[in-house]
Amino acid sequence: MADVAGAVLSADSLKWLAQGGRESALERSLYTYLRAVDLEFQKRPSVRLPRGGEVRPTARVKAPKRTVLIQAASSKQNAEHALTLVQQLARAQFSIDQRFVLLSGSADQWSPDQLDLLADNSIVGFSADMDAMDQFLLSGAAPSRPWMQEGA
């Protein structure tokens, strides 16, 4: 019985890996949003890097003025992965207005240092303010940095 249970778990794990993992709640809300605003997008596209590597951001969006690659992150670990990914996209000649990191919640839920580091490499937005992402995708207007102190 234990061998059968182990085999079922192994088969289920392989199926999960083959599908690329399950979508997070943040990813699902991003895809729902993109459908609602009627923007053409591709889930988990393959993006070739200059030296032959490959990355798979959360979405590739065909915005009116440019293609935008979006990486969703809902935890500190996901945000660290997002930082690495946007740095790699920069090396692949995607300009900063083509890289967007969507973080869950609002700015006050994240470390300002981590936000600064992300914002130095990508446009950053929050799921609590999807209107800012809407403005960025449709008109190219970068969201403000709400974590920055006035005068900084």
Side-chain angles (χ1 to χ4, degrees), residues 65-79:
K65 297 181 181 182
R66 71 224 177 279
T67 296
V68 177
L69 298 169
I70 299 175
Q71 182 64 36
S74 55
S75 69
K76 182 179 179 187
Q77 183 179 1
N78 292 150

Side-chain angles (χ1 to χ4, degrees), residues 26-128:
L26 181 60
E27 291 170 327
R28 284 191 305 274
S29 68
L30 170 64
Y31 299 144
T32 299
Y33 161 80
L34 292 170
R35 282 186 204 96
V37 295
D38 202 29
L39 285 172
E40 185 180 327
F41 71 97
Q42 180 183 7
K43 292 180 182 182
R44 296 276 174 212
S46 175
V47 178
R48 228 2 111 203
L49 299 173
R51 298 177 62 86
E54 179 183 307
V55 293
R56 291 186 170 275
T58 306
R60 176 183 296 156
V61 179
K62 188 174 179 183
K65 297 181 181 182
R66 71 224 177 279
T67 296
V68 177
L69 298 169
I70 299 175
Q71 182 64 36
S74 55
S75 69
K76 182 179 179 187
Q77 183 179 1
N78 292 150
E80 289 169 357
H81 169 72
L83 176 61
T84 300
L85 184 133
V86 295
Q87 288 172 331
Q88 290 172 318
L89 292 175
R91 293 190 65 238
Q93 305 304 311
F94 286 92
S95 63
I96 197 160
D97 75 330
Q98 292 181 287
R99 305 184 306 257
F100 191 92
V101 174
L102 177 65
L103 298 173
S104 63
S106 60
D108 61 352
Q109 296 171 297
W110 294 88
S111 157
D113 290 322
Q114 188 172 36
L115 294 175
D116 284 341
L117 193 54
L118 279 168
D120 287 345
N121 293 278
S122 177
I123 304 300
V124 176
F126 302 91
S127 64

